[in-house]
Structures are given as C-alpha cells and as structure tokens.
Amino acid sequence: MAVFEHEQTIPVDAGVVFDLAKDVTAMEAWLPDGLQVESSGPERVTGRVSMGDEVDEGDGYLAADDEQRRLEWGDLAGGGYSGWLQVDEEGPGRCRVVLHLDVSGDHPEAVGGEAHEITDEYIEQALSRLAALAMQSVT
C-alpha cells in the first residue's frame, strides 16, 4: 500500500474552502488532470482515473462531514483507492488543508516508481488548485 499526504495553508476562511472542496460539480477545477468525478446518487460518485493509456473507472462513496469540515471517499468495490480531505481553521481568514490518499492492490502507484511519483505530485497539484480556486472565489 502507498500512502500520500500533503498539506497547504490557504489564506481563505475554512468554510469557504470546504464548501468548494465538497462540491462535486466543482471538483474538476481542482482535482489533478486525469481524474474525473461525477455524482451518481446520495454520497455516491463514479470516478475515472486516466494515467497514460490506462483508464480505471469505479463506483465510490463521497461523504462530507460539514461540522468537522472533512471529506472521506473510497472505492465501493474495494479496488484500492480511499482517502480524506480535512480543512481546519488556522485563524481569521486562514485555513490548513490536508489531503490524504491510500492506494493498495495492483495499481501501479501503489508499488513505487514513476506512477507513485506522479501521484504524489498530483496530490500537491490538487491542493494548489484548490487554493487558487478558493482565493478566486473571494476576490
């Protein structure tokens, strides 16, 4: 299993950032290239991951805890993807966002090498994109 985790401080209120992060229709704006998510029912999503020539599609769950400002997701079929995003207030108009991803099974990113490195970069990219989207939303 591979574990990926990065954090970023964003100069925007935690509530604003969390509302953007949990909006499935806005996820394409901040998720890494090659990852698409669409709603398929209450707390259900269909995800597509494209890495190189491979496309992996699966049904998953996406649960939002508004009080804790936490998203949790995973693959319903036990395909090896799960994770969470936590948004914590750091002070007035400032928050810390942690993005965590677990990958197991026979996925290339779970065993190291180039796919592992790319996935790690994508986690950082997603946080940067979420920060930019949040900053745009308040200007």
Side-chain angles (χ1 to χ4, degrees):
M1 177 188 335
V3 176
F4 303 91
E5 186 171 297
H6 289 280
E7 68 178 67
Q8 182 163 343
T9 300
I10 302 174
V12 177
D13 181 73
V16 171
V17 174
F18 184 71
D19 286 345
L20 284 169
K22 72 177 184 177
D23 181 357
V24 175
T25 63
M27 284 183 178
E28 197 165 322
W30 66 271
L31 289 174
D33 295 336
L35 178 57
Q36 297 174 320
V37 177
E38 61 185 43
S39 179
S40 57
E43 293 192 354
R44 296 290 184 257
V45 292
T46 299
R48 284 174 208 78
V49 179
S50 303
M51 188 171 276
D53 293 337
E54 286 189 41
V55 177
D56 197 8
E57 182 174 315
D59 292 321
Y61 66 90
L62 176 66
D65 182 333
D66 291 333
E67 189 174 308
Q68 297 295 317
R69 293 189 195 104
R70 184 177 178 92
L71 290 177
E72 293 186 7
W73 62 86
D75 186 328
L76 289 175
Y81 292 101
S82 64
W84 50 266
L85 179 138
Q86 179 71 45
V87 182
D88 294 313
E89 194 75 48
E90 287 267 301
R94 190 173 168 85
C95 67
R96 180 176 69 99
V97 180
V98 178
L99 181 55
H100 177 98
L101 178 66
D102 293 317
V103 182
S104 61
D106 61 357
H107 298 289
E109 54 269 47
V111 295
E114 184 180 4
H116 182 92
E117 292 174 19
I118 290 170
T119 301
D120 194 57
E121 290 171 11
Y122 280 174
I123 299 295
E124 285 186 282
Q125 180 188 76
L127 283 174
S128 294
R129 288 179 173 186
L130 180 58
L133 186 64
M135 288 185 284
Q136 277 182 337
S137 75
V138 296
T139 57

